[in-house]
Structures are given as structure tokens and as C-alpha cells.
Amino acid sequence: MLLREKGSKPIAIPRKEIDRWIYTTCGYCSTGCGIEVGVKDGRAVSVRGTADHPVNRGKLCLKGIHEFEAINARDRAGHPMIRDGADGPLRRASWDEALARTAGEFKRIQERYGRDALAVVSTGQIYTEEFYTLGKLVRGGLGTNNYDGNTTLCMASAVSGYKRSFGSDGPPGCYDDFDRTECLIAFGSNLSECHPVLYYRLKTALERRRFPVIVVDPRVTMLAQLADIHLPIRPGTDVVLLNALANVILAEGMEDQAFALAHTTGFEDFARTVSRFTPEYAEGITGIPAGRIREVARIYGRAGAAMAIWTMGINQSTHGSDGVAAINNLALITGNVGKPGGSSLSITGQCNAMGTREFSSASGLPGYRQLENPAHRSEIARFWGVDETFFPEKRGLAMTDIFPAVERGEIKGMWVIATNPMTSMPDTDRVREILGKLEFLVVQDVYFPGETAALAHVFLPAAMWAEKTGTFTNTERRVGLVRKAVEPPGEAKSDLDIFAALARAMGLGRLFPGEWTAEKAFDEIREVSRGRLCDYSGITYEELAARGGIQWPSPSGSHGTPRLYADGLFQHADGKARLIPLEFVDDNERPDESYPFLLNTGRVIEHWHTRTKTGRIGNLDKFSPVLYVEMNGRDAARLGIEAMETVRLISRRGEAEAVCLPTERVGPGSVFTPFHFAWGANKLSLGLLDPHSRQPAFKQCAVRIEKTR
Ligand code: SF4
């Protein structure tokens, strides 16, 4: 039921003639807003927020409001393309020709160099039914173990940290916790720009009932300006701060002993480790005064229910997985897991980053099953009708390790689906060289050209959001329905149809018998997830539309579950969560005489990731058309740089030009630039990898700034 906010003013949509409104879920971020597409004469001409939706209550952010324009944007790809020879131009081709060439090259590469010489690099953008289909094709048919997605660039550390602490991926909390918590602490989360409707949910909760908000971020973001306490932490030192908070909580007896004893293991080792992280010691590393650390620990530790959220400030680090485990440690020692208002909630990035984690088989097998578990391999082999010895016994390379393997000559072919590594990967000049070494590159995407698509030997045009039916899962595990509102352009096909067609072209059609549809894939998902943590067996498309989504686990007869682990039973074999002792490892590139500034990167409200969509949308691109760099005003004055002057950012990897914005949002010695632009941040970034998650540390590298004249 809609909770209409007192005095809220719904956004006025200009009157347009609409034939019908089609209910869907937003295709940008993982907030999972309910959104309806207005269709006139078969064309998407408007959108509106779904008034009674449990996530967004009618609200949309700037990207959502303009989402229909992404469908109608210029450069929608409407037909397959093929490159004749290695260097010829891409020319129009039929689907039969493009699929035959792709199937032929995949077979040639795998026969000549081995199954793993083909890599598949996927996304967080397509529907869960499509992820499931792709996983079935890759794990059950192609058999390459070098299969991953771009979620390794944003969410891998959250996944890894959850698995280490709780025994499984899956965010335990939900948005309702904003309305019930007594303390919110946000780590490296620019909620107001990256997840604006969650920011609105938080602000609404605060208007109803004031509770302390603490923001840990090196930059004074809009969320930091809302906070009661802002901790401008030195980048890369979060584990030290988190250990120090735990130190104070234990030293002052604020822990929930009963919960920790009943539901965790490792308490003694953990307590011994954090005893060394006194607030005074942490002050020297994090730059946060010891008194402030004690104050924050007391607010969090004494709250009846406390909530921690985080985004890329934690994940995109060489110790992102440890940062997540440290947040989970804090929640576990205070009993803030599985209770209203008490949670450790990773705010997810892409609209369906969760769906790929659940059912794409990229890091394992569907339904949070692991390749390393013989029982899991045999369950899925039986279900798919394949020989279980066909499955590898452990996970292959992550996306960030696939590219170096191409460089070493171990991988010869790559299938890139709805992602743009030429902008999103660190050190993009090197990525271009690596892609140039491939014998065969196929790119499947919704627009052409794109930075990566331009390098393809075969390009496959895909239908986009609202041109096909399926589901997304959002941050709070809510499965949302996305209905087809309009036809895709030209000959573009849904990703699901492309996967099934390619399977047939490769002689693997047995995996997808009859006419393979989203409904069929969803039926298999329901069946294969029965009894698993991410249980979909009680979910139907009809209920998804009626309820504005359902939070898994949702076994038959249930209407979903708002919080995981409410019964105190975790997913490790003994049912207990792990308290993990964590040391501080300072292994990032640090500023020096030649490169004296620490570069931090992030998002702006107008753009989505690599601008593949938003760079084509008039108003969004007009609001944020250029690369800029925020620099502390005192540093700018010292270097003689004026506001709006173009400067050159130079790292050991490359250089980029940006407009300089002198500001107090960043401290002296630090600079910030958005990561969306192909000619920007990732030409500079180093991207050292987290040892557990293989996620790159996009946010910490050393640069120098020069005037261009
Ligand atoms: Fe879409 Fe995210 Fe904006 Fe909601 S907050 S409208 S899901 S981009």
C-alpha cells in the first residue's frame, strides 16, 4: 500500500497523448524503482513513477525521468555487423551470417587452443532470465571457465565479504530499515547522486523521526552535508577505522554478547586483533581524531538498532572484501543482523547486478551454488541434463584477470555482452592493446558505435530495457518485473533470443528445447532455486506486477522475506557467522614528488557508468557534458590554476584533460573526477586488485596536475 508522504509533490509530467502505460522496473541503478512507460503509436514517449510502488512511492530520479529517451536515442543498433578480415570495416550482415561466423570462430578457437581460450564477459544490465540462459549456455555448452561479468568492477568485494562473513552472498537488510533504525552509518556512499531515490527514502525517514547519520567519506558529498557527523577519512584506511570502532565497542562493553556467542565463531581472535586498533593508533592512519572515533562508536554501539550501508568507497579498493567483512564484524558484535533497523546493507550498483550474482553461473552455478561443491555440480548437471564432469571444479578467471590472460596469449576469443571495458576498466590504453590481440571479438550491445563495439569482428544488436520481458533484482533482494512496452529497432533481438540462437548455431540447441522464452527460463529459475537462500519458487510474474516486486527468499506460499538471518542461522555449514580478524595492508599507489595528488573517482547524478545510454540523452548530457576535476582551492591557488581552467591530469598510465573546479569538497592533496568519460579517469587509474574479490582499486592512484598553457 502506498505511503503517500505528507506534503509531497509528485513530479509534474508534461501532458502527452498516451495510448497505454506499461508497468516495468527502472533499468539504471539497483534501487529498483517501479516505472511505467507511456506508449503512443507503438513508441515510448514518456515515463512516470509507479505511485504505489514499495520502493520509490512514485518518485524517479533524473535518469529515470529520461529513461524512455534511451530507447529512442540515436545510434540504436538495428542489424548485425561483420568485419571482413582482421582490419576491414564493419559491414551489415544477416543474423544467419553473423551467428554462423560467431559459432564458427568460437568452435575454431576452442578446438585449436582449448575450451578456456574463449572468454565470456557479461554485465549487470540484462534480465535474470537472460543471465540464467547465458549461464546454461556457457557452463553447460561452451564449457569455458573464463566467464565473468562487469560486476567484478563494482560489487565483487561485497559478494566476497558477505560470503566470508555469512557463508553466502545476499544483502541481509532492506529499505524499510531506514524507517526503523536508530543510527545510520554510510561508508563511501554518495547516495544522493548514485541512488537518489534511496536518498529520498532516507530523508523522508529523517523527517518523520530524527536519528543520527554518520558519513565516512574523504569527500564532502551531498550526503556528507546531510550528516550529523562527517568523517573525512584518508582514502584506503577504512579497515583501520572499522577495527577501531569495534575496539571501542568491546572496550566499553557495548557489544551484544548473547548474539555474538550464539551466532558467531571467532570472537576471541577478533577481539585480540581489534584490541591493537586503539582510536589513538587509528587517528594516525585514518586522519580521524580519536575522540571522534569514540563518539561514533558510542552512537553506533548504544543504538537499539544500527544500520551500515556502503557503496564503491569500500568495494573499489585493494582491501574491499576486508572492508565489507569489517562492516559485517561490527554488525555481528552488536547483533545488528536480521532485525528491523539493524543491518549491513551493500547498496548495489547496476539494475540487475543482483540477478547475475544469483543465476548467471558466472562465479559458480545457479542459485548461489558453487563449482567447488560436488553436490552442487551434480544437482545442476542432473537438472540441465549434462555430464557433471563437464563442469570445472573451481571458478576460472575473473574479468580483471581475463584481460591479462589475453595479453599473455592464453585467451584468443572474447564475447562481450552489454558492457564497455574500453571505458570501465582501469588503464584503458592498455585495454585497447589487449583487445587488439584477440583473434576474435564479438560485442553484443544496444547501441553502435561504442568504444568497445568499434573494435569488434562481429557486432550483435540487442533489444534493451522495456523492449523485452523479464525480471531484475534490486539491492534489497526485491525481484521486479520489467514488461515489454515497445518493439526493438530493426532486427535487434532480446539477449535471451540471441543466446538461444547462438546455442542452436553451435549445435547446443538441446539446452533450450522448443521455443525458449523468458517464462520458460523463469520456470527453470523457480525450480532450480527451490530450497536455496535465493528461493524464487513462490514468485510469479503476475504477483510481481501486483505487489511491485517480491523479496527473496520467497518459497511457495510466501510473499517474500524482508530480512535475511532473522532466525540467527547463517549459511556456513555450522549455521554461524564468522567474526574475521583483519589487519591493515597499505598497498596502494601513494602520492610522491612526481605525482603529488591522490585521485578519487566516482559518479555524477546525470550519467550512468560509461555514458553508453546517458551520453546519448540530450538533457542529461547537456547537464554534465565535460570531464571535470575537483581540486582543493588552496592547491589550485598554489598551482596558479583558476576556476574552469582546463588542466592536464597525468598518472604513470596515461593522461586526460579536464576542467578544474576549485572547491572545499576535497581536501588538500586530493582530487576527484567522475569515471564516466572514455577520455577520462580510467586512462589514469592503476586498478590494483583485491586478493579476495579481484575487484580493482579504482579510487586510489597518484597523479600530477599541469596547466595546459
Ligand atoms: Fe532508476 Fe535508480 Fe533513479 Fe530509481 S534511483 S529512477 S532505479 S536510476
Side-chain angles (χ1 to χ4, degrees):
M1 196 57 203
L2 168 70
L3 295 170
R4 251 190 223 294
E5 307 310 329
K6 228 174 145 189
S8 73
K9 297 189 187 83
I11 292 163
I13 304 286
R15 269 195 185 285
K16 283 183 183 169
E17 297 242 334
I18 303 287
D19 294 335
R20 59 190 192 283
W21 290 97
I22 311 287
Y23 171 80
T24 74
T25 304
C26 178
Y28 279 112
C29 87
S30 73
T31 300
C33 296
I35 184 169
E36 290 161 27
V37 181
V39 178
K40 174 74 183 160
D41 298 330
R43 207 177 138 78
V45 296
S46 186
V47 297
R48 65 183 184 193
T50 304
D52 293 340
H53 198 274
V55 168
N56 54 316
R57 302 164 180 173
K59 294 280 192 291
L60 294 174
C61 79
L62 204 53
K63 287 187 281 289
I65 288 168
H66 290 280
E67 195 157 9
F68 69 97
E69 295 180 46
I71 296 176
N72 304 320
R74 65 180 195 276
D75 303 340
R76 282 302 308 277
H79 52 79
M81 282 182 277
I82 281 185
R83 192 184 299 283
D84 291 321
D87 301 319
L90 280 163
R91 63 161 174 86
R92 184 170 181 159
S94 68
W95 271 106
D96 284 348
E97 192 184 6
L99 290 170
R101 169 92 177 269
T102 303
E105 284 294 291
F106 282 6
K107 279 187 189 163
R108 179 187 70 77
I109 285 167
Q110 291 195 297
E111 281 165 16
R112 177 150 182 213
Y113 303 107
R115 284 191 336 207
D116 291 345
L118 174 68
V120 180
V121 176
S122 169
T123 178
Q125 296 286 311
I126 60 178
Y127 298 162
T128 303
E129 293 80 349
E130 297 176 324
F131 281 130
Y132 175 79
T133 304
L134 176 64
K136 196 173 182 186
L137 171 59
V138 175
R139 292 282 179 217
L142 296 175
T144 175
N145 200 13
N146 293 325
Y147 164 42
D148 195 27
N150 63 14
T151 42
T152 289
L153 307 182
C154 60
M155 297 316 302
S157 292
V159 173
S160 162
Y162 276 144
K163 284 182 178 171
R164 291 165 71 199
S165 297
F166 303 144
S168 173
D169 185 18
C174 59
Y175 303 156
D176 182 54
D177 289 330
F178 288 127
D179 297 309
R180 293 167 183 254
T181 195
E182 293 177 20
C183 165
L184 178 102
I185 180 161
F187 295 90
S189 178
N190 185 6
L191 208 60
S192 16
E193 292 209 61
C194 305
H195 301 87
V197 169
L198 288 187
Y199 179 68
Y200 147 75
R201 288 284 302 259
L202 172 62
K203 278 197 67 167
T204 308
L206 285 166
E207 279 160 19
R208 286 191 188 133
R209 183 183 55 87
R210 193 69 210 174
F211 52 87
V213 174
I214 299 142
V215 172
V216 182
D217 201 308
R219 190 164 162 249
V220 190
T221 60
M222 200 194 295
L223 187 66
Q225 291 172 51
L226 174 93
D228 298 286
I229 298 176
H230 171 217
L231 305 181
I233 191 170
R234 277 195 197 117
T237 64
D238 359 78
V239 170
V240 177
L241 174 66
L242 282 151
N243 277 351
L245 293 173
N247 171 299
V248 177
I249 286 169
L250 295 185
E252 299 190 6
M254 292 182 283
E255 74 274 21
D256 183 340
Q257 279 247 344
F259 182 92
L261 285 176
H263 302 298
T264 70
T265 63
F267 188 87
E268 280 180 17
D269 281 352
F270 171 73
R272 200 173 311 118
T273 299
V274 299
S275 69
R276 288 187 276 111
F277 287 78
T278 62
E280 285 70 22
Y281 169 73
E283 175 176 339
I285 297 175
T286 63
I288 311 289
R292 271 292 197 205
I293 295 174
R294 285 202 172 81
E295 183 186 359
V296 168
R298 286 170 189 150
I299 294 170
Y300 181 93
R302 288 174 184 162
M307 179 177 184
I309 62 169
W310 73 93
T311 319
M312 294 309 133
I314 292 288
N315 292 347
Q316 289 181 337
S317 157
T318 50
H319 46 266
S321 174
D322 280 358
V324 174
I327 292 171
N328 294 338
N329 283 340
L330 212 56
L332 287 166
I333 57 168
T334 52
N336 278 304
V337 185
K339 75 178 181 192
S343 63
S344 140
L345 184 65
S346 119
I347 306 293
T348 310
Q350 299 179 73
C351 53
N352 206 20
M354 284 290 292
T356 185
R357 284 151 64 173
E358 294 154 13
F359 291 106
S360 75
S361 307
S363 63
L365 290 166
Y368 285 156
R369 289 180 176 86
Q370 294 157 5
L371 286 161
E372 293 77 5
N373 183 323
H376 289 176
R377 288 201 306 273
S378 113
E379 281 164 21
I380 296 301
R382 257 199 320 277
F383 189 74
W384 285 350
V386 300
D387 183 343
E388 73 179 81
T389 60
F390 190 69
F391 293 147
E393 293 181 8
K394 63 178 185 155
R395 185 191 173 174
L397 298 177
M399 178 178 177
T400 42
D401 293 311
I402 284 174
F403 283 76
V406 176
E407 203 168 35
R408 294 192 301 270
E410 294 162 16
I411 289 175
K412 303 289 186 182
M414 190 184 288
W415 182 10
V416 173
I417 300 153
T419 189
N420 185 14
M422 277 295 300
T423 300
S424 61
M425 285 281 286
D427 196 358
T428 45
D429 286 346
R430 182 175 163 212
V431 171
R432 177 184 289 278
E433 280 176 28
I434 289 172
L435 291 174
K437 286 181 189 289
L438 288 165
E439 291 184 12
F440 183 65
L441 172 65
V442 54
V443 175
Q444 179 170 324
D445 213 334
V446 301
Y447 300 107
F448 188 89
E451 290 86 16
T452 307
L455 306 175
H457 298 101
V458 170
F459 177 82
L460 303 176
M464 71 181 297
W465 167 83
E467 292 173 343
K468 52 190 183 178
T469 292
T471 55
F472 290 148
T473 309
N474 77 354
T475 285
E476 58 170 358
R477 293 167 284 100
R478 183 179 296 277
V479 181
L481 182 65
V482 193
R483 279 214 181 105
K484 178 172 178 172
V486 292
E487 292 296 329
E491 300 166 22
K493 291 178 190 285
S494 73
D495 293 280
L496 185 125
D497 286 346
I498 297 173
F499 300 146
L502 185 60
R504 284 183 205 108
M506 294 203 65
L508 298 167
R510 64 181 180 280
L511 293 168
F512 309 108
E515 190 196 352
W516 187 252
T517 60
E519 287 81 358
K520 266 198 185 173
F522 195 73
D523 283 346
E524 288 201 9
I525 287 169
R526 293 176 59 191
E527 200 47 45
V528 84
S529 67
R530 192 181 297 278
R532 304 289 306 163
L533 184 67
C534 52
D535 191 334
Y536 275 43
S537 59
I539 302 178
T540 63
Y541 281 2
E542 292 70 32
E543 274 218 77
L544 290 179
R547 292 177 178 275
I550 294 174
Q551 290 167 278
W552 63 250
S554 184
S556 299
S558 112
H559 295 307
T561 310
R563 293 172 189 84
L564 298 181
Y565 312 128
D567 56 3
L569 269 181
F570 292 88
Q571 291 286 304
H572 285 295
D574 59 3
K576 295 195 176 191
R578 302 287 182 261
L579 285 168
I580 302 173
L582 299 161
E583 297 295 342
F584 175 53
V585 184
D586 187 13
D587 53 1
N588 274 304
E589 189 178 42
R590 289 279 161 202
D592 56 19
E593 259 183 35
S594 307
Y595 300 93
F597 290 95
L598 192 62
L599 174 68
N600 179 11
T601 68
R603 297 180 246 193
V604 298
I605 194 168
E606 296 86 2
H607 284 303
W608 180 249
H609 288 190
T610 67
R611 293 171 65 256
T612 309
K613 285 199 267 189
T614 52
R616 289 174 160 92
I617 295 178
N619 280 333
L620 295 180
D621 207 38
K622 273 185 220 152
F623 291 152
S624 181
V626 294
L627 184 66
Y628 66 85
V629 58
E630 291 178 355
M631 172 184 245
N632 187 271
R634 283 158 279 171
D635 285 333
R638 187 171 49 79
L639 295 176
I641 296 169
E642 294 185 7
M644 303 303 285
E645 186 176 337
T646 301
V647 296
R648 196 173 295 125
L649 285 77
I650 304 167
S651 79
R652 291 182 176 86
R653 274 71 56 194
E655 57 183 78
E657 287 196 354
V659 170
C660 187
L661 303 182
T663 174
E664 289 300 314
R665 292 185 86 183
V666 295
S670 293
V671 290
F672 169 88
T673 194
F675 65 54
H676 308 286
F677 296 84
W679 54 91
N682 285 327
K683 290 174 86 68
L684 311 165
S685 56
L686 170 57
L688 292 174
L689 300 181
D690 179 292
H692 296 278
S693 68
R694 313 306 289 162
Q695 180 159 350
F698 285 103
K699 288 180 168 288
Q700 293 119 23
C701 79
V703 296
R704 69 170 179 270
I705 312 283
E706 291 180 355
K707 289 164 73 81
T708 51
R709 52 185 170 78

